[in-house]
Amino acid sequence: QVQLVESGGGLVQAGGSLRLSCAASGRTFSSYAMGWFRQAPGKGREFVSTIGRSGIATVYADSVKGRFTISRDNAKSTVYLQMNSLKPEDTAVYYCAADRVLDTNPLAYDYWGQGTQVTVSS
């Protein structure tokens, strides 16, 4: 079992920045690829970014490429999502998730956090 707890969400104006954190506990953090997903009201869960176990391989959704950066610190069992140049359409609940392999499909992920709300005002 892996327990995931997100933090860092909040209300920010368009153009602003936030950094989300996801702290993991339980099984060896470095054994898992980590992903960030988001879900806006009335919409399905959307892939945002994922990072491989060593932190070298990363993948981004086109909608966030160039604005968001995913990173991880295996010594701290934490994955981060730095979000810059935020837009109102980035408003959603953001979730982190853990999987054995790098994947953009949320159905592939075994463990999920409870989510953190990000609201971007125009």
Side-chain angles (χ1 to χ4, degrees), residues 59-108:
V59 181
Y60 295 93
D62 288 343
S63 58
V64 306
K65 203 171 292 183
R67 300 188 298 123
F68 291 11
T69 303
I70 191 171
S71 62
R72 67 188 294 163
D73 186 336
N74 285 345
K76 295 182 178 180
S77 298
T78 302
V79 61
Y80 306 97
L81 186 68
Q82 177 67 43
M83 305 186 295
N84 298 330
S85 302
L86 282 161
K87 305 175 181 179
E89 51 263 45
D90 294 319
T91 295
V93 177
Y94 283 70
Y95 299 89
C96 71
D99 187 18
R100 287 292 185 179
V101 296
L102 204 69
D103 208 308
T104 62
N105 185 348
L107 297 177

Side-chain angles (χ1 to χ4, degrees), residues 12-35:
V12 64
Q13 288 188 332
S17 298
L18 282 174
R19 188 174 84 151
L20 305 183
S21 299
C22 173
S25 60
R27 295 193 175 185
T28 307
F29 178 71
S30 58
S31 299
Y32 292 87
M34 299 297 296

